[in-house]
Amino acid sequence: MQYALKEKPDVKWWEQSAASGTLEVRHAPVRPEVALLVLPDGPEMSQRGAWPWHLNVLRMRPVLRAVSCVVSLEEALLGHVHYRSRGWNQGAVVDDVLRALNDLDRLTGRTRTVLVGHGMGARAALQAAVHPQVCGVVGLAPWLPDHESVVQLAGRGVFLAQSATSATGVARAREYTLRARTAGAWADVQLLRGGDAWMLRHSAAWHRAAAAGVRRVLAADGQGAKA
């Protein structure tokens, strides 16, 4: 699927969004009704620069294509969140996500936004759901340490997809989902058989899960998120 850009003069009207360098818009109508942003995985600690050609970033391109099929391209903005450095770095990456959301807010005003994150990106998306732009989060093989906050998810949709082969990952995804529901979120988890945390095996199944998650999160937002 190709991203069909608007004819001139609107082709690059969104370039004003590059204030922080963390938001890359890949497609946008003149007046988007919804925004889908993908967030790549990364290591726990690394001060090395993050670049668009890194494998963890490239892995999110087919994810963005998959979730774009859920929405009308005449109404949806599609984009990537880029990090200033590759690692989680004690939560510094969440600041990058919030910067990207602030850029989006300046660009489009208040827009229903779904964050689609993989691994570390899923953890960052869940924490960045505190931003008023965010209506939901889709987490693919999410990195969920114990005692992660869920209060910021109240009134939002959360969909987690986890490999069924990871007993620890499954347990943590289920526990997090239950706590998110208690906090007032609509939340669900899907287990993928045969997949791996890097989304290299059975990648098409991960892409389908991402698309299903976006569809369900947007539906929950339209109804009013609930447990």
Side-chain angles (χ1 to χ4, degrees), residues 21-222:
T22 58
L23 175 64
E24 177 193 358
V25 177
R26 300 300 301 275
H27 167 83
V30 175
R31 295 179 179 85
E33 298 294 328
V34 64
L36 306 180
L37 305 181
V38 294
L39 292 72
D41 192 14
E44 183 172 0
M45 294 296 296
S46 176
Q47 297 296 338
R48 294 176 59 190
W51 301 102
W53 56 82
H54 286 159
L55 179 59
N56 61 323
V57 179
L58 295 176
R59 192 179 294 134
M60 298 307 290
R61 290 187 177 181
V63 173
L64 185 60
R65 286 196 294 270
V67 299
S68 72
C69 296
V70 175
V71 294
S72 167
L73 292 184
E74 295 180 356
E75 299 178 349
L77 179 148
L78 308 175
H80 288 254
V81 175
H82 292 294
Y83 310 141
R84 289 170 295 172
S85 58
R86 297 183 67 180
W88 174 259
N89 300 330
Q90 298 180 324
V93 71
V94 179
D95 292 335
D96 293 333
V97 184
L98 294 175
R99 286 168 182 255
L101 290 167
N102 285 338
D103 282 347
L104 179 64
D105 190 30
R106 285 190 292 268
L107 178 64
T108 67
R110 189 61 51 83
T111 304
R112 299 168 69 204
T113 301
V114 179
L115 303 178
V116 183
H118 171 222
M120 180 191 76
R123 184 185 183 190
L126 290 163
Q127 292 197 13
V130 67
H131 197 285
Q133 286 279 70
V134 180
C135 72
V137 175
V138 175
L140 307 174
W143 172 32
L144 295 172
D146 293 333
H147 311 302
E148 284 287 283
S149 173
V150 294
V151 295
Q152 74 279 6
L153 301 174
R156 291 165 170 79
V158 177
F159 182 91
L160 304 180
Q162 183 58 272
S163 170
T165 61
S166 171
T168 300
V170 168
R172 288 185 172 177
R174 284 175 169 164
E175 186 269 344
Y176 188 89
T177 299
L178 289 173
R179 290 196 296 115
R181 290 173 181 167
T182 301
W186 175 91
D188 199 7
V189 60
Q190 177 181 338
L191 304 184
L192 276 65
R193 299 189 181 279
D196 64 297
W198 296 275
M199 300 197 305
L200 298 176
R201 295 168 51 200
H202 304 284
S203 58
W206 288 104
H207 301 160
R208 288 193 296 270
V214 168
R215 184 181 295 109
R216 295 179 68 179
V217 163
L218 287 175
D221 180 64

